[in-house]
Amino acid sequence: MQQHTTSTPTKIACFVSMFAGIFAAIYAFVSRNHNTALVLGIAAIVLGGLSVLKAHKNIDDTQVATAGIFMAVVACAVALWNMYH
C-alpha cells in the first residue's frame, strides 16, 4: 500500500492537535479550576478529530493527531475525577 503525502498545513494541524492535548492534560493535573480543564480537554478532542479527518490518508500524521486526542481524553478524565472527588 502506498503512503499518501500530506501538505505542510496538515502536518502542522496534527502537531498542534498533539500539543493541545498535552497542554490540556498538564493543565488538568496542575489546575484547581476543573471546569476550565474540562473545556480545554473537550476543545482538544474536537481539534484532534478535525486533524484526523484532514490527515486520514497518512498514517504518521493520523498517529500524531490521535496521540493528541488520547491526551485530551486523559485531561477530561482527570478534570471529571477532580470535580466529583
Side-chain angles (χ1 to χ4, degrees):
M1 185 166 102
Q2 183 178 357
Q3 254 318 334
H4 297 315
T5 60
T6 56
S7 64
T8 301
T10 302
K11 289 184 182 295
I12 291 170
C14 292
F15 279 104
V16 167
S17 165
M18 183 180 69
F19 290 126
I22 291 170
F23 175 77
I26 290 170
Y27 186 82
F29 277 108
V30 299
S31 173
R32 297 285 179 218
N33 190 348
H34 311 303
N35 292 331
T36 304
L38 186 61
V39 169
L40 285 175
I42 292 169
I45 289 172
V46 170
L47 182 65
L50 294 173
S51 296
V52 167
L53 289 176
K54 188 159 177 65
H56 70 278
K57 292 182 181 179
N58 187 324
I59 191 70
D60 295 331
D61 293 340
T62 304
Q63 288 176 342
V64 171
T66 304
I69 292 172
F70 174 76
M71 293 305 293
V73 169
V74 168
C76 288
V78 169
L80 289 171
W81 178 268
N82 287 332
M83 273 183 185
Y84 296 109
H85 284 96

